[in-house]
């Protein structure tokens, strides 16, 4: 829980850097006409990042709850997470 709380205290650019450096990309889903939401595993939690355009981003949420992974489950290779 501490890692998630510490992540949430970072400013958004630092959060993005942390995800790029420590995260593992899991899946993406389209949003709107050209947007994309990507989910990453980071340490012991997950982070959703919305990219309305390739050069813009918004951290949507960082979470532990697996219910938020539901939109991605058909894309995630669980075997790679368990190895």
């Amino acid at each position: 829980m501490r890692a998630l709380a510490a992540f949430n205290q970072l400013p958004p650019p630092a959060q993005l850097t942390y995800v790029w450096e420590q995260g593992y990309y899991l899946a993406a889903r389209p949003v709107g006409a050209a947007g994309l939401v990507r989910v990453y595993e980071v340490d012991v939690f997950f982070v959703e990042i919305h990219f309305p355009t390739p050069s813009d981003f918004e951290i949507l949420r960082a979470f532990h709850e697996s219910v938020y992974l539901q939109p991605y489950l058909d894309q995630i290779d669980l075997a790679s997470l368990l190895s």
Side-chain angles (χ1 to χ4, degrees):
M1 205 58 137
R2 292 179 69 197
L4 179 57
F7 178 83
N8 285 330
Q9 295 300 313
L10 296 172
Q15 288 178 333
L16 186 64
T17 299
Y18 191 78
V19 170
W20 283 170
E21 292 175 354
Q22 304 297 322
Y24 177 78
Y25 170 78
L26 295 177
R29 61 183 169 88
V31 174
L36 201 61
V37 175
R38 295 180 180 172
V39 66
Y40 296 83
E41 174 195 13
V42 183
D43 295 328
V44 295
F45 58 93
F46 301 94
V47 177
E48 274 187 318
I49 303 174
H50 177 222
F51 294 90
T53 67
S55 61
D56 195 17
F57 77 94
E58 173 188 12
I59 304 290
L60 291 182
R61 67 177 144 215
F63 57 92
H64 287 114
E65 300 84 5
S66 59
V67 67
Y68 296 121
L69 294 174
Q70 191 69 35
Y72 307 99
L73 289 182
D74 62 336
Q75 301 175 50
I76 297 173
D77 178 10
L78 296 178
S80 66
L81 292 177
L82 300 174
S83 60

